[in-house]
Structures are given as structure tokens and as C-alpha cells.
Amino acid sequence: MNVLDKITALRVALHHHNHKYYVENAPEISDFEFDKMMRELMDLEAEHPEYADENSPTMRVGSDRTSEFKSVRHRYPMLSLSNTYSMEELGDFVDRIENEQGQTEFVCELKFDGTAISLTYENGRLVRAVTRGDGESGDDVTANVRTIGSVPLTLTGDYPSEFEIRGEIFMPYASFDRLNMEREAAGEQLFANPRNAAAGTLKQQQSSVVAKRGLDCTLYQIASRELSITSHWETLMKARSWGFKISEHAKICRTKEEIESFIGYWDTARKELPFPTDGIVIKVNDFAKQRQLGFTAKSPRWAVAYKFKAEQALTRLLSVDFQVGRTGAITPVANLEPVLLAGTVVKRATLHNAEQIELMDIRLGDMVYVEKGGEIIPKITEVELSERNSESKPFEYITECPECGTTLVRYEGEAKHYCPNQGGCRPQILGRIVHFIRRKALDIDGLGGETVELLYDSGLVKNVADLYDLRATDLSVLPRLGEKSADNIIGSIASSREVPFARVLFGLGIRFVGETTAKYLAQHFKSMDALMQATKEELMESDEVGDKIADSIIEYLTDEENIAIIERLRRAGLRFEEEAKELHSECLVGKNVVISGKFIDHTRDELKELIELNGGKNQSGVSSNTDFIVAGENMGPAKLQKATKLGVTILSESEFIEMIGATNRDGSAPAEPISVEVSNSGEGEAIQGSLF
Ligand code: IVH
């Protein structure tokens, strides 16, 4: 057997076993044998790069390269479904359809709680995976989707030569729990629910990270001109035969009663499923009928989603704790009599702020309803007044910080109370250090919340600048910390000196200055010195900075203690300046440019960078000194109007690229100029039943 035949045989076998494992849940060989074959294929591919294939099973591990997502226009818009929570409305839906169409078959399916995806296959090979986006165009996340085991990279059977198939990418509970456990251990922010985790993972810039997160994918809709199928049910069966994972819980129902009993069954049974669902989707089965029923602007008239109500439990409010966050924000947390809710015992619930408590008139000892919304911690939704003790008194909110005793303050427009004692309040100090070392900030590995507490309590680290005075010998005296971990931490602190200015700025933890704002500030001011000298008005010229943020920055940067810390960090060698970039050309020197809309070959940030790299200046809004606008799709109508009024030139993405003489990211020459589409009428060709 020659090498190519060998490679091909291994690929076919691995695709088969992958399908058995991820789609059918019926593996035929052991993990050991699978891994052995995979290694063999990897070795052969490494020796013979000429036979590389982006759909090889070896591609499932993803890559460490960071990628940005191209915006891709959907061939048919990705619509959503109309929702109902009531059986009565569902009955009306069935009646309306049967009035128009006579006796009708419905397919009832689980509504998977993840994020929608559209996959394109050409000649049996996955060529593109695009998120829903705004329904008109989404992000090209193909590299990430290739790593999902249940997505077939190559198909089997009588598939059409080109088609699009849509479904849901979701995160099973087991993957979700594991992910959040890992994040907690690393001191990272937790995902609120599996849906956010799935959507967040799909937008990861490194596909190798996606590969490890355990996503799954189920499909429920096909679009192809070549199919001669006449019903939704048949497409599901066909798609399954080509290798797609199709839910085994779909059912044909012929009466309202059958639909109701399907819903009733799953309202309970879904709690045992290993993945999240939030309802049942009911679809007209026959494509001819679907076509006649058609669409409204937003959703098909032949389908509806029945959503399950969030589960509630009634329990007693025992006491209220007050947590102090890194910024001094106070969050009241309810301690409850333990109660079973959606499979877990709930003992605590968030109360958000004083206003919420007042609005609901929640009192100690009350019986309250708790609900699991999209958040990690359940919330109190209502008080059961009929069970209230006649002697109960309105809740008195605290006036002093529970940690340091300082009188709390309220800022205008903020619902929360704050402890203003930033320099002396323990949870705030610890919170700031933990924030500073986060991956998205200074990325100091090996230090979790607990170690930070140990360092603080032992007097070694009282603020973030103290981190840079640490020596390995200081650390090895801490309990539970070996010599090797100590060396790693010191190494990681040292490498944090290379972290770019924007992340250092974010790491300082200035109130309201999140990751994006920090990036804009760094881009706009270029250095800490410039930022420190900026007036409020100047601060507000930076993107994303309004009144509130500007005040907060000034308050932070005029505080003596903060200034001292910044100076120490500067002496420790942290970056307080944007790195100077070498100009590609000077063709835009003196030009003010506005970027507006969505683009095909570049992200907005890439275009902004290109403007700077060619000597130009980015402006956020059109004004009389704007030289030209680079407009993508859906440029804001206000901007367009202003530009027309001021007579500012509008360039398309490709015209702009041509102007600066650059090429596309993939190295190809710039595309034909695209026409600038301004309106967003949503009048794409809608998917019709007959096309499935
Ligand atoms: S059919 C025209 N079937 O729910 C839209 N959608 O609210 C056809 N979803 O965007 C969608 N499970 O992301 C359909 N079995 C299922 C579904 C499902 C989950 C999601 C999907 C869609 C959203 C609509």
C-alpha cells in the first residue's frame, strides 16, 4: 500500500470510529486503539505535508493559532421561532394551521439550549460553519466547529453535492461542570449557564481550546435545491443516514392531545437529560404545507417553540449576608432554608441590591419563591405574602461596610451601595490583586485566590506592586507551596512585564474600565503619562468613555496611593506605553478616517489598525474634518446622512484596501469593489420547505 492509500484508509477508519463514538454513542474499538490509529495518521501527515487535508480527523484537536472571524452573509436568513409559554396559545397555533391546511402532521422536537449554527457541505465535505449572528450574516467559525466530535467532517451515503444544514451547538452538563470547575480553580470568571459557555467557546480564538471543551452538535434543518424530499421528518432521517447527529427524541404528532402529552412528558423527563433544553419545537411536517404557510418578518408561520417555565421552589429566608466586591460594590445574598430546585439543593440566592429588596418588600423570615434564571446563583422572584408573620418588619439595609465598618455611599445612577474605603477594606484589596493576575490582565499563573489571601495575610503582598518585590524564597515558606510552584510563580510574575499596556491598564481595576475600554484608552492615549494628564473632556474623546467612566478614571489617577503603586509598577518594568508600530506606508498621514458597518475580509479592528499602520487617524464619528469613510454592510443611517450632508467620500472595503495597496488576510488580492448596501431590509431569500 502506498502512503496516500494508507493515509486515506486511516482517515476513513477514523471518521467511522469517530461517528460511532460521538454520534451513535456506540464505540466499536477502545480509546487506546483509536489513539494509536490517530497517532499513526498524525505521523504520516507530518512526514507528508503534501497530503494535508483540512477535514482530516487529525484536525479535531484544533490549532493554537489565534484567528479572527470573518463575517459571512447567510444565503438564506437565519430566522428565529415565535415563542409561547401557554398550552392555550399552542392550541390556537394548531387550530390556525388546521383551519388553513386541514388535518396536519406535526413534528415535535426538543428545543436545545445552545447557539445556532449553519454548516455548509460541498461534495460531502464540511467547508464552512457560520454562527447565526444578526440573522443576516454571522461569523465564520469553521476552524472551531471542526473540533467538535459529533460534527461530521466527511459524509457517507447519498448526500446532495451542495447543501446547508442548521442546528444547535450546545454544551452537555458534564462538560459545563468540568469547565466551570477548572475556571474556578484558576480564579477565572465562571460561565453563568451552558448556553453562554457554548456561545463563548465557539468564539474562542484558538481552536485547540474549543477542542478541549466538550461541545456537542445536533442538526434539525436542511437547505438544498437538490433534494426531492417532501417532509421535515424525511430530511431528519436522511441527514442521519449521511452521518449527522439527529435527536432521537423527535416524534410525529397528529393531534393537539398528542402534542400536549409529548410536552408534558418532556417537561419532567428533560431533567434527566445530560444536556440543556428550554422547550419543545413544533413544526408542520409536510413541506408543501410549510410553503403555503410561509413566514412572517422574523419567523416561520409553520413552527412554534413552546418554552418550559423556569422551575420555582418555595422556601424561607433565614438571613442576609453582604458581600463586598473588588470595586467596593455591596451585594446582598440571601441565606435560605435548603430546598431542592432543578436537581440541586439551593441554600443561597442573590438579592441584587437595596432597591430590589425594597421593591419586593422582602423581610427576614418570609417564605419566598426562588428561581434559577440564566445566572449561576438563583434569584428570589416573589414573596408569598399569605405566609408572612404579622410581626415582621421591613428590611433594614446596612449603612456600614460589613468588612471594615466604613459608611457606605451611593453613586448617582447606581443601584448598588459602595464601600469607599478602597485602600483599607480587605475583600477589595484581595479582589484587586486577584483581578490584576487574571489571564485577561497580567496573566500571572499559579496564583489563585487562596494563595493571594495567604500572601496578604503573611504581609508579603499588600498591593499589586508588592508582587514584583517577591523572591522565590519568600514564597516557599508559605504552607502548601513547594519550591517548584514558587519558581513558576516568580517566572510568571517576571513574564508579566511583557504584557501590553492595554492589559496592564485593565489589570489596575479602575471602576467601569473593562477590557474593551482599556483597549480603547490605550489606543487613544498611547501611554500612561498621557492618560494621567488628560482632562475629563479629553478622556471623553476616547471611544466608549462617557461621563461616568471619565470621572472614575480621574478619581483613580489622582489618588496618591494609586499614583504610588503605578510608579512602583513602572519601576518594576511593566509596560506603560503602547508599543510603537512600524508604519507600512505614509499614504494616510494627516487623514481622518471613519469605519462603519460590517466587513467581509477584515474585522473592524483590523481595518482600524491598517489605518494607523498607514499613518492615518481613526475617528469614531463623522465630522467636518473627516476625510473619508470606509463603509461595510449596514452602515448606520445617521452616519450616512451626515456624510452625505458634509460631502465626505465613502469607500468600500476593497476600494480602501486597494488605496493602501494591501492584500487580504489570506494573501489574495483585494476582491472586486462591493456595492455599499445601506438599508437592512431583511429581504433575503427565505428558506422554503421545498428547499430542504
Ligand atoms: S428550528 C426558523 N428546531 O431555537 C428557525 N430550532 O428560537 C428554525 N433551536 O434559532 C429553527 N432547538 O437556535 C429549531 N429543534 C429545534 C431547535 C431550535 C433549538 C433554537 C435555534 C433557533 C432558536 C429559535
Side-chain angles (χ1 to χ4, degrees), residues 283-304:
K283 305 173 180 173
V284 168
N285 190 23
D286 185 59
F287 282 158
K289 288 187 178 177
Q290 283 193 3
R291 241 188 338 271
Q292 278 166 20
L293 286 157
F295 296 82
T296 68
K298 276 194 288 188
S299 49
R301 292 179 69 240
W302 43 261
V304 71

Side-chain angles (χ1 to χ4, degrees), residues 78-83 109-117 132 167-168 218 220-221 232 278 281 283 295 298-300 302-303 305 307:
M78 280 181 92
L79 302 176
S80 66
L81 293 169
S82 57
N83 283 337
E109 296 169 10
L110 297 181
K111 187 168 186 311
F112 291 83
D113 197 7
T115 179
I117 192 78
R132 179 174 186 279
E168 200 85 352
T218 183
Y220 43 67
Q221 203 184 13
H232 177 59
D278 61 343
V281 183
K283 305 173 180 173
F295 296 82
K298 276 194 288 188
S299 49
W302 43 261
K307 300 259 275 193

Side-chain angles (χ1 to χ4, degrees), residues 121-322:
Y121 285 81
E122 282 170 17
N123 303 316
R125 294 164 52 83
L126 175 68
V127 293
R128 204 171 317 108
V130 183
T131 62
R132 179 174 186 279
D134 62 3
E136 298 281 325
S137 40
D139 285 333
D140 183 333
V141 289
T142 315
N144 286 347
V145 169
R146 279 212 173 93
T147 69
I148 301 173
S150 46
V151 173
L153 301 177
T154 58
L155 303 178
T156 53
D158 58 345
Y159 49 81
S161 64
E162 195 191 333
F163 69 99
E164 212 177 305
I165 185 162
R166 291 175 177 180
E168 200 85 352
I169 288 182
F170 59 94
M171 189 175 278
Y173 290 122
S175 308
F176 176 70
D177 292 342
R178 194 187 56 215
L179 175 61
N180 261 355
M181 238 145 62
E182 285 168 7
R183 290 175 79 84
E184 189 158 23
E188 287 169 342
Q189 210 167 358
L190 303 189
F191 282 112
N193 54 50
R195 184 185 350 105
N196 289 0
T201 300
L202 207 54
K203 293 287 186 70
Q204 276 290 321
Q205 288 187 321
Q206 292 182 345
S207 54
S208 57
V209 174
V210 184
K212 293 188 195 111
R213 294 247 181 117
L215 290 176
D216 204 339
C217 179
T218 183
L219 286 310
Y220 43 67
Q221 203 184 13
I222 302 180
S224 162
R225 291 177 191 281
E226 295 173 40
L227 279 178
S228 56
I229 288 177
T230 58
S231 76
H232 177 59
W233 185 261
E234 269 179 80
T235 58
L236 294 181
M237 298 307 118
K238 271 284 177 205
R240 180 178 288 155
S241 76
W242 303 330
F244 291 103
K245 186 158 172 169
I246 305 294
S247 170
E248 50 196 279
H249 304 307
K251 187 174 178 243
I252 296 184
C253 293
R254 295 187 172 82
T255 61
K256 252 192 241 179
E257 291 67 35
E258 278 179 27
I259 298 175
E260 268 185 37
S261 86
F262 184 87
I263 292 174
Y265 173 78
W266 282 111
D267 200 359
T268 315
R270 74 187 183 107
K271 292 165 198 161
E272 310 295 324
L273 288 170
F275 48 80
T277 52
D278 61 343
I280 299 293
V281 183
I282 300 105
K283 305 173 180 173
V284 168
N285 190 23
D286 185 59
F287 282 158
K289 288 187 178 177
Q290 283 193 3
R291 241 188 338 271
Q292 278 166 20
L293 286 157
F295 296 82
T296 68
K298 276 194 288 188
S299 49
R301 292 179 69 240
W302 43 261
V304 71
Y306 176 89
K307 300 259 275 193
F308 296 127
K309 282 184 209 65
E311 277 185 83
Q312 284 198 330
L314 187 63
T315 188
R316 192 173 302 282
L317 171 63
L318 302 175
S319 62
V320 176
D321 286 341
F322 295 89

